[in-house]
Amino acid sequence: MLNIALFGPPGAGKGTQSEYLIKKYNLFYLSTGDLLRKEIAEKTPLGLEAQSIISAGGLVSDEIIVQIIENTITDHPEANGFLFDGFPRTYVQAYILEGLMLKLNTSLTCLISIDLPEEVCVQRLLNRGKTSGRSDDNETVIRNRLREYTEKTLPVLQFYKEKGVCFEVNGLADIAQVTQQIDTIVTAEVAKQPLNILLFGYPGSGRDSQGKALSERFGLEFISTNEMLETEIRNETPIGKKIVHLYENGLLVSDDIVVQLIERRISDAKNAKGFIFKGFPRTLVQSYILDGLLRKRGTTISMAFELEVPVLDLINRLDERSKTEHSMAYDTSTARIVKRLKEHESKTLPVIARYAQRHGVTKVNGLGTFEEIFERLSSEIENGIKNLR
């Protein structure tokens, strides 16, 4: 999860830079100013209380801010990350944000501070006041706000400097240059984030062999439900015996079995740079479970791919596989193969649709030699990494 706090005095241009970050990194925008104005416009009790404080050029109390921020965060559990604009403004709020991030099993990725001299801020806000119609855009209020910022907000910088996640940019540069400075910072932080890839495709599409090769190329951990399940079968564990029964009937292994194996595998890979998931999630329920497991580690899905292979080719591949040591239980007859393909269609295609809506799923031609398919996938991953960074 990518969580960014954009910091700077009034008039520093945080709104403009926020638009760029939201669009590029698909973040949920969380602006205390916007949220407060919404409360004020709706004349809620919080809004009325905030109005009197803002009109005098003061900062709204932590009690008001906390309620609005927490409600907004908890109302959007599906978010891939948050962009905080105007929060935290005080040392106390910095601790509050730490608590809110802990609630999400994540942390603040970085705080970016746009530095700008006071007189430049004043002039920018006075110019804005000529067209904005905002009552707080007059010199007396502006200087009060800047004084509040200096006295109460700047100490927050030290809080995050001690954590090593505070970065400063020159706000005197033109907009494009400020954006470039910010982009360089975020790119470096994103590079530290785990790379989590979903590899979809019908049984027989080549996910296993491609996933293993890709994990080696990109230094990721390969997680295959089949491998874990086969280990249970080979060791003749109680779980393994249940799995054999399900396989023989062409059914998917139940979530309670798969999830505990996946969670154990993720937990064991403490220093992993990321994961390639093959065979999981297979159902909508499992997709929500995986999102939760990754969120617990403060991360999320980075990209997803689907290997496309015509049905007749799939059947031929699975039939050929049934004659090798890699044969699966459902490979033993055409009827079972067809049943397994239908199972994928009814249960896994909705999962692909869900990720396509949230993250985008890139379709990759699964026909050709192993090397040709591998290069297609590798190229798509490399392009995806560039887009993320």
Side-chain angles (χ1 to χ4, degrees):
M1 180 178 284
L2 180 64
N3 300 308
I4 301 172
L6 196 56
F7 206 79
K14 297 190 297 295
T16 299
Q17 299 303 327
S18 293
E19 291 178 8
Y20 169 80
L21 290 169
I22 293 163
K23 182 177 180 180
K24 179 167 183 179
Y25 297 101
N26 193 29
L27 303 176
F28 183 88
Y29 182 60
L30 204 158
S31 165
T32 53
D34 287 352
L35 294 175
L36 284 169
R37 281 189 283 275
K38 181 174 180 292
E39 295 285 331
I40 291 169
E42 295 176 355
K43 298 187 184 300
T44 66
L46 287 175
L48 293 174
E49 187 177 351
Q51 176 66 71
S52 62
I53 298 171
I54 292 174
S55 297
L59 293 173
V60 176
S61 67
D62 290 339
E63 286 78 10
I64 296 175
I65 294 292
V66 169
Q67 293 177 67
I68 296 173
I69 295 288
E70 184 170 8
N71 289 341
T72 304
I73 290 177
T74 54
D75 285 346
H76 296 86
E78 78 291 344
N80 294 323
F82 294 92
L83 176 64
F84 296 91
D85 180 354
F87 186 83
R89 274 183 173 156
T90 67
Y91 199 75
V92 171
Q93 287 181 0
Y95 277 105
I96 292 170
L97 181 58
E98 289 287 292
L100 293 176
M101 292 289 92
L102 283 173
K103 234 180 179 182
L104 294 170
N105 294 306
T106 186
S107 61
L108 189 69
T109 306
C110 60
L111 182 150
I112 300 173
S113 174
I114 304 175
D115 293 337
L116 201 65
E118 178 175 330
E119 292 308 314
V120 177
C121 293
V122 171
Q123 191 57 51
R124 285 188 181 182
L125 293 174
L126 286 175
N127 289 337
R128 185 180 72 178
K130 296 174 182 178
T131 57
S132 69
R134 285 174 52 172
S135 61
D136 56 329
D137 279 342
N138 64 73
E139 187 167 354
T140 300
V141 174
I142 289 170
R143 292 195 182 278
N144 283 339
R145 291 169 63 196
L146 289 171
R147 185 173 61 255
E148 289 273 7
Y149 176 83
T150 301
E151 294 175 355
K152 296 184 178 179
T153 315
L154 286 182
V156 178
L157 284 176
Q158 187 59 38
F159 179 92
Y160 288 104
K161 281 180 180 177
E162 291 174 1
K163 291 179 173 292
V165 295
C166 178
F167 304 89
E168 299 179 356
V169 300
N170 179 13
L172 284 172
D174 62 40
I175 293 175
Q177 291 175 324
V178 173
T179 299
Q180 182 58 52
Q181 292 178 67
I182 291 174
D183 198 42
T184 299
I185 293 168
V186 178
T187 295
E189 293 305 303
V190 169
K192 301 175 185 177
Q193 301 291 310
L195 181 65
N196 301 309
I197 298 173
L198 296 179
L199 192 54
F200 290 114
Y202 279 87
S205 60
R207 293 166 300 156
D208 194 72
S209 57
Q210 293 294 337
K212 288 178 180 176
L214 291 168
S215 67
E216 292 181 8
R217 179 160 183 168
F218 292 96
L220 306 174
E221 296 287 329
F222 180 62
I223 294 186
S224 166
T225 52
N226 283 341
E227 285 190 357
M228 290 186 291
L229 297 175
E230 286 170 6
T231 298
E232 297 293 323
I233 293 172
R234 187 167 54 252
N235 294 335
E236 297 184 344
T237 65
I239 289 178
K241 293 176 182 178
K242 291 180 182 179
I243 295 168
V244 169
H245 176 72
L246 292 168
Y247 276 170
E248 289 175 344
N249 289 279
L251 300 174
L252 292 172
V253 178
S254 59
D255 291 338
D256 62 326
I257 293 175
V258 174
V259 171
Q260 61 182 301
L261 297 177
I262 293 286
E263 184 169 22
R264 185 173 66 194
R265 180 72 177 80
I266 291 176
S267 297
D268 289 344
K270 295 187 183 346
N271 298 317
K273 295 179 180 178
F275 301 93
I276 293 182
F277 294 92
K278 174 259 173 180
F280 186 86
R282 277 179 173 161
T283 67
L284 280 173
V285 169
Q286 288 181 358
S287 72
Y288 285 101
I289 291 170
L290 178 59
D291 288 349
L293 290 175
L294 292 178
R295 191 179 293 276
K296 190 176 181 180
R297 291 173 60 91
T299 184
T300 185
I301 296 301
S302 307
M303 58 189 81
F305 302 94
E306 181 183 13
L307 281 170
E308 292 192 305
V309 179
V311 174
L312 289 179
D313 289 274
L314 291 172
I315 293 174
N316 287 333
R317 288 184 184 184
L318 295 174
D319 182 58
E320 289 298 318
R321 188 173 72 179
S322 70
K323 302 168 187 175
T324 71
E325 61 180 5
H326 302 294
S327 175
M328 301 290 289
Y330 56 77
D331 294 340
T332 55
S333 72
T334 301
R336 284 181 174 172
I337 289 174
V338 172
K339 183 175 182 180
R340 181 66 184 85
L341 294 178
K342 287 184 176 179
E343 189 86 25
H344 174 89
E345 186 171 306
S346 64
K347 302 216 169 186
T348 308
L349 290 189
V351 177
I352 297 174
R354 176 174 181 259
Y355 282 108
Q357 184 177 25
R358 295 188 60 192
H359 306 279
V361 176
T362 302
K363 297 182 182 296
V364 177
N365 182 2
L367 293 178
T369 65
F370 174 85
E371 290 75 17
E372 289 171 340
I373 301 168
F374 178 71
E375 287 306 318
R376 287 178 205 139
L377 282 166
S378 296
S379 177
E380 291 291 350
I381 291 174
E382 288 166 357
N383 288 335
I385 291 173
K386 289 177 183 177
N387 291 332
L388 286 172
R389 299 174 183 176

